[in-house]
Amino acid sequence: MQRLSILASSLAAAVINAACMAPPKALDLALTRASDAGTYVVTLVPPVPAAAINRLHAWQIHLSTPDGLPVSHARIDVDGGMPQHGHGLPTQPQVTREPAPGAYVVEGVKFSMTGWWEIKLAIDGPAGADRVTFHTVVDPAVGR
């Protein structure tokens, strides 16, 4: 009887853990979106090849006005994490340069495991401060 109880508990824990690991079915993976207040339009450009776990990589951000004009000289803070696990990024990514008007390079991004991650940007630009959150799913087959 005790063995059956342990088996049932183990199975229940495995099912709960598997459900926790799966990203939401309707997760919006769009790479271009308006900031929360509509102040900016932001495009997040992932690295090519796709980001692999436990490796540092750089992303690009394209920042524009709602009319499509590039936004230069903005300060962008990067944060994020895994909402289903309750932890943040294992690194502190930084915008390191603006190689062209409205184009920013983020270096030091690292994902420590596969699954659903959020990348959160806090933007302070000429039109004011605003935020935007992107969702990405790190594939277990990438980087192997």
Side-chain angles (χ1 to χ4, degrees), residues 43-45 47 57-63 71 74-78 92-109 121:
T43 299
L44 187 63
V45 182
H57 38 88
W59 294 59
Q60 290 188 26
I61 298 167
H62 294 188
L63 184 63
V71 175
R75 175 185 161 94
I76 303 173
D77 292 323
V78 183
Q92 295 178 335
Q94 301 289 316
V95 172
T96 57
R97 61 188 183 280
E98 182 182 356
Y104 300 84
V105 177
V106 178
E107 295 184 285
V109 180
L121 306 176

Side-chain angles (χ1 to χ4, degrees), residues 12-35:
V15 168
I16 291 168
N17 192 29
C20 177
M21 302 301 276
K25 290 182 182 179
L27 187 62
D28 184 355
L29 299 175
L31 293 174
T32 298
R33 47 177 81 242
S35 56

Side-chain angles (χ1 to χ4, degrees), residues 90-133:
T91 57
Q92 295 178 335
Q94 301 289 316
V95 172
T96 57
R97 61 188 183 280
E98 182 182 356
Y104 300 84
V105 177
V106 178
E107 295 184 285
V109 180
K110 180 179 176 182
F111 301 122
S112 56
M113 62 179 62
T114 59
W116 168 33
W117 289 83
E118 289 182 329
I119 298 175
K120 299 178 180 186
L121 306 176
I123 304 160
D124 190 4
D130 207 346
R131 298 181 165 276
V132 64
T133 299

Side-chain angles (χ1 to χ4, degrees), residues 2 10 12 19 32 40 46 53 58 61 72 82-83 85 109 125-126 140:
Q2 183 179 11
S10 296
T32 298
Y40 304 104
I53 61 169
I61 298 167
S72 292
M82 294 190 88
H85 290 246
V109 180

